[in-house]
């Protein structure tokens, strides 16, 4: 059987990019905040971050830079995971529809 190719001409990439910010924010920040375990972890992180800053004294800016970089790193991981999951889902759908698998 000849496999049909699905070409996006950039449409797929544009669609994924337009969804990433909205969906990731909703899932990671909106939907997750509804859970008590999230609230507990968030409070613990704030407490620990404040404790570290207090211990660091005049070098608090180093920790603040770490927090900022860590946040950007986490955001990049989530974006890449979302992008890959979306692509994997489309491939699975294609396999089911076109290859009957």
């Amino acid at each position: 059987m000849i496999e049909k190719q699905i070409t996006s001409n950039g449409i797929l990439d544009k669609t994924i990019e337009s969804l990433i910010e909205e969906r990731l924010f909703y899932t990671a920040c909106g939907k997750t905040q509804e859970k008590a375990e999230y609230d507990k972890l968030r409070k613990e992180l704030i407490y620990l971050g404040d404790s570290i800053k207090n211990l660091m004294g005049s070098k608090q800016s180093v920790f603040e830079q770490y927090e900022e970089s860590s946040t950007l790193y986490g955001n990049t991981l989530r974006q890449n995971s979302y992008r890959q999951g979306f692509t994997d889902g489309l491939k699975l759908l294609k396999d089911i529809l076109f290859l009957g698998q």
Side-chain angles (χ1 to χ4, degrees):
M1 172 183 277
I2 298 174
E3 183 177 336
K4 295 181 182 179
Q5 287 291 108
I6 298 176
T7 57
S8 69
N9 295 327
I11 294 171
L12 179 59
D13 293 333
K14 289 177 187 173
T15 301
I16 292 171
E17 290 304 316
S18 70
L19 291 172
I20 283 177
E21 289 301 319
E22 175 190 337
R23 297 301 293 160
L24 280 179
F25 179 78
Y26 172 74
T27 301
C29 297
K31 199 171 183 179
T32 305
Q33 287 181 359
E34 297 167 2
K35 303 202 180 295
E37 65 188 64
Y38 169 85
D39 193 46
K40 181 182 173 188
L41 289 170
R42 184 182 60 80
K43 287 177 182 175
E44 184 177 350
L45 285 172
I46 290 170
Y47 170 77
L48 291 170
D50 289 344
S51 297
I52 291 170
K53 285 183 206 177
N54 288 336
L55 290 171
M56 295 185 77
S58 64
K59 299 190 188 262
Q60 288 182 13
S61 64
V62 172
F63 182 72
E64 290 167 358
Q65 288 174 344
Y66 165 80
E67 283 183 311
E68 185 176 326
S69 293
S70 180
T71 298
L72 291 173
Y73 175 73
N75 288 343
T76 300
L77 289 177
R78 282 184 286 281
Q79 288 174 354
N80 289 336
S81 295
Y82 180 87
R83 189 177 291 109
Q84 187 62 53
F86 196 93
T87 303
D88 290 347
L90 286 177
K91 182 184 179 316
L92 177 62
L93 182 62
K94 180 189 82 157
D95 289 348
I96 291 169
L97 292 175
F98 295 121
L99 303 176
Q101 297 179 351

